[in-house]
Amino acid sequence: MGTGKDKTTYKDTLNLPLTDFDMRAGLIRKEPAIQDRWKQQGLYGRIRKARDGAERFILHDGPPYANGNIHMGTALNKVLKDIVVRVKNMAGLDAPYVPGWDCHGLPIEDKVMKELGQAAKDLAPIEIRRRCQAYADRFVGLQSDQFQRLGVIGEFDNPYITMHPEYEAAVLEVFADLIDQGLVYRQLKPVHWSIENRTALADAELEYHDRDDVSIYAAFKLVGGQLDVLGECDGATPALLVWTTTPWTLPANLAVAVRPGYTYAFVRAATAKGTMLLVIAEQLVEKVAAAVGAARPAFLQGFQVVGTCKGQQLLDANLTYAHPLLEGRTCPVVPAEYVTLDDGTGLVHTAPGHGAEDYGTALKCGLDIYCPVQDDGTFDATAPEFLRGKDVWQANPMVIEALDQAGMLLCQETIRHSYPHDWRSKTPTIFRATKQWFIAVDRPLRGMTGSEKSLRGLAMDCCRREPDDDGVEFIPAWGRNRFAGMLDSRPDWCISRQRSWGLPIPAMFNEAGEPLMTPNSVLAIAATFERLGADAWFTATPAELLGDYDPAADEALDNPEAFAVDKLRCGKDIFDVWFESGSSWYAVAMKRGLVDTIPVDLYLEGSDQHRGWFQLSLLPALGSRGQAPFRTVLTHGFVVDEDGYKMSKSDGNTIDVIDQLDKRGADILRLWIASQDYQDDVRCGENLIAKAEDAYRKIRNTLRFCMGSCSDFDPARDTVEPTEHSVDRWMLMQIHQLIRDVREAFDAYEFHKATRRMYEFCTVEASSIYLSAVKDRLYCESPDAIRRRASQTVIHLMLCSLVKLLAPILPHTCEEAWGHIPAKPADWPESVHLALLPEYDEDILSLAGDIRPVSADDGKWALDELRTGPAGIWDKLMDLRGAGLVKLEALRNAGVKKTLDAEAVFKVRAGDDEAMQIIETYRPELEDLLGVGYARVEFADDLPDGTTVDVEVLDSRERYERCARSWKRRPDVGSNEKFPDLSARDAAVMEELGKGRQ
RNA sequence: GGGCUUGUAGCUCAGUUGGUUAGAGCGCGCCCCUGAUAAGGGCGAGGUCGUUGGUUCGAAUCCAUCCAGGCCCA
């Protein structure tokens, strides 16, 4: 030791951290490699095997639409699901995950049609379907890759695909059940209609262009009800004044709607038919007078408001009016909240066959869905004679003329407005009632024993009942209310669409146009679809589709003789895609044997699915099984930008998932997701994800330091139980509390709490307090020193616990870390994802549970309190640490830069021998917790009132020599003659090492 | 316009049945260390708890209004 003053010499005698675990993550490079390895190992299958026979937990995946790249919202959803699945599997449950895709539907068909352009017109449905299928396949593959790049684990080799034959067949099986329950019916409903192409159109197939139309004011003469609600008519003809831009729909008029809350005025005015008493919304009187007066100045002669009443009073008076075009038809006044004062008269012409709102009103008020317009746009025989055979555009002037003749036309004008056009033919569309298929939500189910309930009734029961009473659990809890509200207000479910890309509604029609669609006929077709796919609907004959099915043997048919199989033709409607995805609980969860019976454990989607997939899965499940498909419905909010506004491409505030994956890696993105309270909207931006990256580094470095500190530690050989008064014991309590808190947060799906807890644990308990404190003994003690091994024991436990607890959130990083845990027991699984989450020890927690806040009032350490348990004492010791750190900071500013150059003096109230004894017991730990070179204890009689122990820090540079090995300044430096530059401890270690080397 | 929902420091979150000077971590500022080093540590400054009224001895916590977001409808 001739160069004993040279500290580099001693550096070689220290046990410095040693590990291959990279400080820099390199996620972009490593993650794909780790994912490849998982694939090669068949990790998912191995997890399944390992959990075989364990209690099941089924998170049933809601299928994303197979169109486009995934976006941040999809990533949020999938990662949350993945965390759930991983947590459950690591909790020892058998939690398979079968991802799925929704493949049918308009967006894909639209994309394909647009790509085809004009060529699309001449293509048969089967051709369009094949192209759509190829398109969907492409995006299923793309999204599957993207999900797996996010680290999502599941049965990606065999996902569920709604366009696959077995899935299509399963949907029809559910449908057959609903038919059996008497819930499926056919009825008129207005849809957008292209006269040019004689086809129904979806919203997405409409283009809005400006168009000039005639608008008219027409009077409907009141003929019935309590007309005295209008007051004295005084010879005037009482009439309702309506305004419309589609005079051709007047033949189909069945009612006039008013808003109950509005005030209506009675206006005397001169018309061609003499003086009338017109009902007009009070606020629109002037506007109407101006409009009509401009065209017909005479209208204003004697114009005056003679009275008013509320819309509700008009309704209560049960008024009826004579239809202006049809002799003998009288119609009612009905309420409607969609009536506005923006234009018109505040009274709305209602033709249920020609308008969506009118249709809704008709359902509420029991009006017919009447539509005299045929598919070519011409009027049928029920229309007034002068219109029959004419098309709606020809009809407009003729209707106006007829009204004028009758003296009921007050004026007409031309207006330019935005009007829907068929995107293919560019011709204007109309609203026209057509026959559609529905699922009734208010009809009592037929076949459920002992149930008089309707789907709505059963569904409301599911959300009214509490989870422990066979009801559905909602997370967050307000989902229950929202879900119920949406159920309560929903109309019957229109399940038919007039498109090509979808599952055909298995209705066949005889020559009389009557449908054949019974449970058995549908099941027969289902069997065919299972073999051949739904394309068979377009290529096979009805006889082939029906197979062995014989109408004559079908008890569900009243008149089987009317349905000769060889005379049937297939219907052209397809299912609403929601019916397909809404049957997945059966087509996937049950058909694949994930569950024997519903409900499954969990559905987890965005809160938009309250009205979407959740509701539309519940209804078929109730109709088919009388059971909800889910036990728990968990929703998350939407991804919004950093300022809380919705993301949109046009605003340029979107964050691209793939960009982030390429730039930062999946684990960063996952950590960001896991740290969000997803119940509300989730703010997302470059800065926010960058924060997650910072947090990631902290976590990673903590793990790394733990590994480095345990490089020579083998738990099987070196484990040492931490002594009662060591900081290791304190850390042990912290670890068990961590495990408990994180597992509780996992169980409650509060991943952000789990994540925060672990992150702050790494920052505070681990890095700042514990690891800093034990550095000296790790580095300087001899390798086998009890004190050192005890700390390594705790650090190793902490490392293993953290890696497992973090694995559901950071699967790649934890897999990498798993491979770097020193002396990992040989019987531990190859992958962390096959491991189980750590358990916490109740006994250790109960030590912590003994914590009682030491009364702040007297500030006195009653010895009873000190003896309530280690945790109680440690609370106080940590307070002393805090106080000492503040004083060290002051000392640092006064020139003592290194805390090892300071000594701490703990002052105990004179005479308090027991407090003295306790502090003396913990003195070595306090020394390291403060990072000072030396700590001593002394009695003091100048402590402030209420203080039992205080801490002072002193500059020890003049007082003690500095140990050249541990860098601590303490009185025992030089006490060993062989090592005059070392403290007693370090000198002893050097001697021991020297012996060891000999 | 309707239903549901959110609004606490720059950020992410805690704030128990309304009760003393509203907390944490990060970030930020200043400082230290250089034996976790593209690391680590210490201290500190940040909030009229969205607004305005009200209930109360007392409200971030209860009520009402308004403002600004979000989802779903219309």
Side-chain angles (χ1 to χ4, degrees), chain A residues 124-362:
Chain A
I126 188 71
E127 287 300 322
I128 294 169
R129 288 173 64 89
R130 290 201 171 123
R131 284 170 166 80
C132 290
Q133 195 177 330
Y135 184 97
D137 268 330
R138 195 167 95 231
F139 282 99
V140 167
L142 183 78
Q143 293 189 357
S144 176
D145 288 346
Q146 293 172 345
F147 291 149
Q148 291 177 78
R149 179 64 192 82
L150 275 169
V152 177
I153 196 168
E155 207 168 318
F156 282 96
D157 290 345
N158 184 24
Y160 79 87
I161 306 287
T162 61
M163 63 182 177
H164 280 181
E166 70 276 10
Y167 192 99
E168 294 175 324
V171 173
L172 291 194
E173 289 175 40
V174 172
F175 188 54
D177 287 341
L178 299 186
I179 295 171
D180 197 28
Q181 292 295 334
L183 297 176
V184 179
Y185 68 94
R186 199 161 175 244
Q187 199 192 47
L188 287 168
K189 183 190 178 203
V191 296
H192 289 285
W193 186 265
S194 166
I195 295 171
E196 177 76 15
N197 288 321
R198 300 199 189 177
T199 179
L201 298 173
D203 286 334
E205 297 172 288
L206 300 175
E207 291 176 355
Y208 285 79
H209 300 298
D210 277 352
R211 174 183 156 88
D212 289 330
D213 265 313
V214 187
S215 75
I216 61 169
Y217 288 90
F220 293 179
K221 188 173 157 192
L222 286 164
V223 293
Q226 290 123 44
L227 289 171
D228 54 1
V229 71
L230 306 185
E232 268 310 310
C233 287
D234 217 4
T237 309
L240 305 171
L241 188 65
V242 303
W243 179 80
T244 179
T245 58
T246 51
W248 61 267
T249 62
L250 285 177
N253 172 279
L254 293 182
V256 166
V258 300
R259 187 148 160 170
Y262 283 175
T263 300
Y264 289 87
F266 314 129
V267 179
R268 286 181 74 90
T271 73
K273 193 89 174 176
T275 302
M276 284 191 174
L277 189 61
L278 296 169
V279 180
I280 305 172
E282 186 178 35
Q283 288 186 51
L284 290 168
V285 168
E286 280 186 37
K287 223 167 148 181
V288 171
V292 179
R296 201 185 284 240
F299 179 69
L300 296 176
Q301 286 173 14
F303 187 91
Q304 96 180 96
V305 175
V306 298
T308 62
C309 78
K310 285 286 178 193
Q312 186 59 50
Q313 291 173 271
L314 293 174
L315 293 163
D316 292 342
N318 293 316
L319 299 176
T320 59
Y321 62 89
H323 192 282
L325 300 172
L326 283 150
E327 201 74 32
R329 187 197 291 173
T330 61
C331 305
V333 176
V334 296
E337 291 298 329
Y338 54 79
V339 175
T340 70
L341 299 172
D342 296 340
D343 44 30
T345 63
L347 294 93
V348 174
H349 148 56
T350 299
H354 293 299
E357 291 174 330
D358 312 44
Y359 171 75
T361 299

Side-chain angles (χ1 to χ4, degrees), chain A residues 126 129-130 168 504 525 528-542 544-545 570:
Chain A
I126 188 71
R129 288 173 64 89
R130 290 201 171 123
E168 294 175 324
I525 294 165
T528 306
F529 281 9
E530 184 145 25
R531 276 189 298 118
L532 305 175
D535 281 350
W537 190 255
F538 302 88
T539 55
T541 65
E544 289 166 342
L545 289 163
C570 291

Side-chain angles (χ1 to χ4, degrees), chain A residues 356-623:
Chain A
E357 291 174 330
D358 312 44
Y359 171 75
T361 299
L363 294 184
K364 276 187 199 133
C365 301
L367 304 174
D368 282 344
I369 312 302
Y370 170 55
C371 175
V373 177
Q374 307 173 94
D375 64 358
D376 62 354
T378 62
F379 283 91
D380 67 15
T382 65
E385 200 164 343
F386 69 96
L387 290 172
R388 290 176 197 165
K390 302 284 191 282
D391 74 38
V392 297
W393 310 119
Q394 294 170 314
N396 261 344
M398 300 172 73
V399 167
I400 292 168
E401 173 65 21
L403 286 173
D404 201 19
Q405 295 278 320
M408 291 300 168
L409 180 74
L410 293 198
C411 83
Q412 58 173 310
E413 54 192 5
T414 301
I415 66 158
R416 170 159 293 192
H417 59 166
S418 178
Y419 191 89
H421 291 65
D422 176 359
W423 68 286
R424 236 175 301 171
S425 66
K426 313 296 179 195
T427 55
T429 62
I430 62 172
F431 253 107
R432 173 173 175 266
T434 57
K435 290 239 174 154
Q436 303 290 337
W437 291 100
F438 290 85
I439 292 172
V441 295
D442 289 314
R443 279 191 202 174
L445 274 63
R446 193 150 65 190
M448 296 285 172
T449 45
S451 168
E452 297 297 308
K453 289 277 175 59
S454 63
L455 285 184
R456 196 197 308 277
L458 289 168
M460 293 301 271
D461 279 355
C462 287
C463 39
R464 273 197 214 101
R465 281 204 304 274
E466 293 299 317
D468 53 13
D469 182 29
D470 209 25
V472 175
E473 179 185 22
F474 286 87
I475 303 173
W478 50 258
R480 179 184 304 278
N481 193 10
R482 177 173 154 102
F483 192 71
M486 288 173 170
L487 268 173
D488 191 46
S489 64
R490 79 147 299 130
D492 280 356
W493 182 2
C494 179
I495 54 167
S496 49
R497 299 288 185 272
Q498 289 70 48
R499 302 291 311 172
S500 298
W501 181 228
L503 179 65
I505 290 183
M508 294 179 176
F509 295 86
N510 64 15
E511 288 175 303
E514 296 168 311
L516 167 68
M517 193 166 73
T518 68
N520 284 329
S521 77
V522 171
L523 289 176
I525 294 165
T528 306
F529 281 9
E530 184 145 25
R531 276 189 298 118
L532 305 175
D535 281 350
W537 190 255
F538 302 88
T539 55
T541 65
E544 289 166 342
L545 289 163
L546 288 169
D548 295 336
Y549 172 81
D550 178 9
D554 192 340
E555 290 177 2
L557 286 175
D558 295 333
N559 53 342
E561 66 285 354
F563 296 97
V565 168
D566 56 348
K567 293 281 172 57
L568 293 172
R569 59 173 181 79
C570 291
K572 292 191 167 151
D573 293 351
I574 60 167
F575 277 99
D576 176 8
V577 288
W578 286 111
F579 189 83
E580 297 181 54
S581 60
S583 300
S584 62
W585 51 267
Y586 175 72
V588 181
M590 289 182 71
K591 277 284 196 174
R592 291 199 183 200
L594 300 176
V595 291
D596 295 329
T597 176
I598 51 175
V600 305
D601 294 285
L602 181 66
Y603 275 38
L604 190 170
E605 306 295 336
S607 60
D608 56 334
Q609 300 304 334
H610 278 128
R611 187 182 293 272
W613 191 54
F614 298 142
Q615 189 187 80
L616 301 176
S617 292
L618 177 61
L619 296 177
L622 288 172

Side-chain angles (χ1 to χ4, degrees), chain A residues 819-930:
Chain A
H820 286 81
I821 293 176
K824 187 153 50 72
D827 58 341
W828 284 19
E830 184 181 354
S831 165
V832 68
H833 304 295
L834 285 158
L836 295 172
L837 292 174
E839 307 280 347
Y840 53 88
D841 184 325
E842 295 283 357
D843 290 341
I844 293 176
L845 280 182
S846 71
L847 294 178
D850 277 344
I851 298 173
R852 297 218 177 67
V854 176
S855 153
D857 305 333
D858 53 23
K860 195 164 158 44
W861 284 21
L863 286 171
D864 287 346
E865 285 165 344
L866 281 174
R867 285 178 182 140
T868 51
I873 295 174
W874 277 109
D875 266 5
K876 256 329 210 188
L877 298 180
M878 288 300 170
D879 285 350
L880 280 173
R881 171 180 178 268
L885 288 174
V886 172
K887 291 184 175 170
L888 280 169
E889 178 72 11
L891 202 60
R892 179 178 301 121
N893 292 333
V896 185
K897 299 300 186 187
K898 305 175 194 180
T899 52
L900 290 173
D901 285 342
E903 77 169 325
V905 183
F906 291 91
K907 302 196 168 192
V908 177
R909 178 167 295 279
D912 195 336
D913 293 334
E914 303 203 59
M916 167 59 86
Q917 189 199 328
I918 288 166
I919 298 302
E920 183 57 44
T921 302
Y922 287 97
R923 192 194 53 76
E925 305 303 82
L926 286 167
E927 178 182 306
D928 283 342
L929 282 166
L930 283 171

